[in-house]
Amino acid sequence: MEKGTLYLVATPIGNLEDITLRALNTLKEVDIILAEDTRKTLKLLNHFEISKKLISFYRHNEGVKIDYVLSLLNDGKNLAVVSDAGTPGISDPGEDLVRACIENNIKIVPIPGACAFIQGLIVSGFDTTRFVFEGFLPMNKRGRKEKLSTLQNEERTMIFYEAPHKLKYTLADMIEYFGGDRRIVLARELTKIHEEYLRMTLKEALEYYEENDIKGEFVVLVEGNSIDEKEKISDESIEDLMKKYIAEGLDKKDAMKRVAKDKGVSKSEVYKHLL
Ligand code: SAM
């Protein structure tokens, strides 16, 4: 028996008009849709008058459902994977299933469409020729800091996803590693009624969110570390850098850590120098 095909179907990230004809036809034609949240997908299907069998397929059951999904595909069923919004497999379920299909010689077809980080990137005004997508930072503070420290000298545009209630903490952590003057863009509520782009420095963004409510969904874009900035750092004295980071709001200990990183020396060397 011929095996079925797995379609990875992108759905809108807000505006329901952002779905392609091919996506709609695929959703109509497959046997079953694997949905991250069946209630959300049902609303989308109802809007386009599509009636189809749905199976719940989300991050925490992706592992246990894979064998069942593979058995359906091996039985010749064509399946579509959709997430709550945007492109499946991008900070959303799908990645493990794709690997399992490759191992089992099952055909996979992407059906292109909306993806929040691409939309944020193209309006950012930052370099779009070289960029890194980092998705969500780790949940725990230590993991976040470790990740940000590896990105400190990243020259490419950096793109992050973030939940609104964590945005303030993320901005504060970023200041520690990228400096308060680094330019960012907060792409908020893309394709929705309250869509807006906040173009500011990290320090300005943190100040803004200390005074304003944080609502909606965000893509956080951070301009890469420019060569000029790196040269400036290597020319600046340890004392000047300490003053700068303390003025940006870091305490003495964190400022020393930051200077040590900038200069590529140990914290104790910075400490000795300051003495
Ligand atoms: N698979 C999705 C995609 O293709 O973009 C991403 C899913 S991820 C679980 C959700 C995150 O994407 C949100 O926390 C936010 O950072 C970003 N996001 C999704 N929709 C957005 C929108 N309309 N505006 C801004 N950011 C959005």
Short mmCIF file of all heavy atoms in Angstrom, two decimals, residues 36 39 147 171 173 189 203 249:
data_model
loop_
_atom_site.label_atom_id
_atom_site.label_comp_id
_atom_site.label_asym_id
_atom_site.label_seq_id
_atom_site.Cartn_x
_atom_site.Cartn_y
_atom_site.Cartn_z
N GLU A 36 -2.52 21.53 17.26
CA GLU A 36 -1.93 21.82 18.57
C GLU A 36 -3.05 22.03 19.60
O GLU A 36 -2.98 21.55 20.71
CB GLU A 36 -1.05 23.08 18.45
CG GLU A 36 -0.29 23.39 19.71
CD GLU A 36 0.56 24.64 19.59
OE1 GLU A 36 0.46 25.36 18.58
OE2 GLU A 36 1.34 24.90 20.52
N ARG A 39 -9.56 23.14 19.66
CA ARG A 39 -10.62 24.16 19.69
C ARG A 39 -10.27 25.35 18.81
O ARG A 39 -11.08 25.89 18.08
CB ARG A 39 -10.86 24.65 21.13
CG ARG A 39 -11.71 23.68 21.93
CD ARG A 39 -11.64 24.02 23.38
NE ARG A 39 -10.22 24.13 23.78
CZ ARG A 39 -9.80 24.50 24.97
NH1 ARG A 39 -10.66 24.84 25.88
NH2 ARG A 39 -8.51 24.56 25.25
N LYS A 147 22.73 31.52 27.83
CA LYS A 147 22.41 31.70 26.40
C LYS A 147 22.78 33.11 25.94
O LYS A 147 23.44 33.30 24.92
CB LYS A 147 20.91 31.39 26.20
CG LYS A 147 20.31 31.76 24.88
CD LYS A 147 20.99 31.17 23.70
CE LYS A 147 20.65 29.75 23.42
NZ LYS A 147 21.34 29.22 22.23
N LEU A 171 14.28 41.94 28.88
CA LEU A 171 14.94 43.20 28.50
C LEU A 171 16.05 43.52 29.52
O LEU A 171 17.16 43.89 29.14
CB LEU A 171 13.94 44.35 28.43
CG LEU A 171 12.87 44.25 27.34
CD1 LEU A 171 11.83 45.35 27.51
CD2 LEU A 171 13.49 44.34 25.94
N ASP A 173 17.70 41.38 31.42
CA ASP A 173 18.82 40.43 31.23
C ASP A 173 19.62 40.80 29.99
O ASP A 173 20.85 40.69 29.97
CB ASP A 173 18.28 38.99 31.06
CG ASP A 173 17.81 38.40 32.38
OD1 ASP A 173 18.14 38.98 33.44
OD2 ASP A 173 17.10 37.39 32.35
N GLU A 189 1.92 42.30 18.16
CA GLU A 189 0.60 42.00 17.57
C GLU A 189 0.62 42.06 16.03
O GLU A 189 -0.27 42.66 15.41
CB GLU A 189 -0.45 42.98 18.11
CG GLU A 189 -0.71 42.83 19.61
CD GLU A 189 -1.53 41.59 19.92
OE1 GLU A 189 -0.91 40.51 20.08
OE2 GLU A 189 -2.76 41.69 19.98
N LYS A 203 17.59 50.03 26.88
CA LYS A 203 17.33 50.80 28.09
C LYS A 203 15.98 51.54 27.99
O LYS A 203 15.18 51.51 28.92
CB LYS A 203 18.48 51.81 28.26
CG LYS A 203 18.60 52.36 29.64
CD LYS A 203 19.89 53.16 29.71
CE LYS A 203 19.77 54.28 30.70
NZ LYS A 203 20.75 55.33 30.44
N GLY A 249 22.65 51.01 35.00
CA GLY A 249 21.80 50.39 36.01
C GLY A 249 22.33 49.09 36.59
O GLY A 249 21.68 48.47 37.43
#
